[in-house]
Amino acid sequence: MPDAPAVPAAGLLDALRALLGPRGLLTDPADLAPHLADWRGLYRGAAPCVLRPASTAELAACVRLCAEAGVAMVPQGGNTSMVGGATPDESGRQVVVSLARMNRIRDLDPVDMTMTAEAGVVLKAAQDAAAAAGCLFPLSLGAEGTATIGGVLSTNAGGNTTVRYGNARELMLGLEAVLPDGQVWNGLRRLRKDNTGYALRHLLVGAEGTLGIITAAVLRLFPRPRETEVAFCAVRDEDAALALFRRFRDRDESAVRAFEYMSGTGVDLAVRHIEGVAHPLATRAAHYALVDLASSRPDAGLRRLMEDVLEAALEAGEVLDAAIGGSEAQRAALWRIREEHPEAQKREGASVKNDVSVPVSRVPELIRRCSAALAALVPGSRPVPFGHMGDGNIHMNLVQPEGMDPAAFLARSDAIMDAVNAVVRDLDGSFSAEHGIGRLKTDMMEAWRGGAELDLMRRIKAAVDPRGVMNPGKVLP
Ligand code: FAD
Ligand code: MLT
Ligand code: ZN
């Protein structure tokens, strides 16, 4: 076991200040505050400073200094982690390393279909840069206006388009990173084929900042869509939602860009709490699906495909009603109902999130069994299952009973997560589908990944970060 992390000494802070200048080292409590708490409000840490290097060389020098002093570092991108991965602990011994100033797009090549972006580039800015060059960077999630390229790679984020383009990992060809001892590893290769030993880039992706700090990445681009269609559908039940997904997939798998499930409770919360979100259908239902079709072909005939499939599903009684977006603005409005689910639940009070996955075929059973178990466990609570049905990833969230003390509800978090996880285990699923482990789920690792798997993870961590200075207390128990 490495020694406990050291307290940053005044001499170290002076050296870091001399290296980074006043913009690069924050110590004022008001400047530190946004870096110390997580988006969900679960954790509030302490740190003597936030480091904001402007280049890989500056970052490497900082890491070298901290590592030599045995001071722990917490890499931070947009700080939108759902599992407390980017917040320091309460000891005041850990320094936060923000990538915010490393936000250049170094290169964009429409022939290679690649973009080389620094870690602090905000996801939306990467999407916009690709679009300006007539291409698509397809990763898309609700936090895309804040989350960064370094963050989405370090969590192997999924989001709305995984069903078509894969997770962040599948969108990355090469990486540059600063290792825990301050060495720079330049693996920024833009090759589609490169079998030259261990695929180190894949070790860093999904490592949640525990094996080094990603500084830049080569990302894959795709042809931009020339036709898109979006439909918001009221469906009979969970099985009907899955049947609808299969209808689209059978008809033209390549056209399905996203297939999302929402419950009536979740849609009602979005309409109630989010200004500008309106219910698009006259009838209210208990279950909904959002279908997004896209093609780079200008003559793909997606409207016809959408109408044909919906008509067949209506006749079969699977779809009860549907609204197809007739313009870019209408399609965006339909998507907003889904995208605002996390914010709407936050405004409703306390909620417990369960980001779980099961084989796609078992999603209806997952939703039904978990909803029943949770409603029985906390009477009056409101199960709000929603998310990426096409990937088998449902956010099996539970919103507190109206009027209940939020703290009393959150005190039951462990029991709530255990109830969901019991069903997930029975259905051969995972207790963390896309948000990662962070700090929130470390104590589940032994039960789910214990034995050879966790042992190997620990040995990798010890080999890459023997002093234990990279994001300690995250991922590994
Ligand atoms: P941070 O929160 O800053 O960090 C996340 C983790 O990565 C931490 O462990 C941190 O230490 C590490 N890290 C950050 N940058 C680096 C770096 N450069 N090098 C090494 N380690 C680093 N996630 C999904 O997968 N799918 C979704 O659909 C989704 N929707 C969301 C919707 C909302 C409204 C919110 C608030 C969050 C959502 N998330 C989703 C979770 C979150 O946005 C993702 O995990 C995202 O990848 C985090 O990016 P970030 O830049 O904010 O990273
Ligand atoms: C989303 O898909 O909107 C987030 O990953 C889910 C959440 O808030 O649990
Ligand atoms: Zn999600």
Side-chain angles (χ1 to χ4, degrees), residues 328-341:
E328 200 47 56
Q330 283 182 9
R331 288 190 279 274
L334 295 180
W335 258 112
R336 230 180 132 219
I337 305 168
R338 159 65 186 92
E339 290 281 75
E340 295 289 0
H341 267 53

Side-chain angles (χ1 to χ4, degrees), residues 338 388 395 434-435:
R338 159 65 186 92
H388 321 294
H395 300 300
E434 59 172 6
H435 295 163

Side-chain angles (χ1 to χ4, degrees), residues 4-10 12-13 27 32 36 44-50 70-74 87-96 439 472:
V7 186
L12 172 63
L13 292 183
T27 50
L32 295 186
L36 304 182
R44 181 167 295 278
C49 62
V50 173
V71 167
M73 292 158 272
V74 181
T87 31
D89 67 15
E90 295 78 17
S91 69
R93 291 166 179 258
Q94 305 185 330
V95 304
V96 174
R439 184 167 162 187

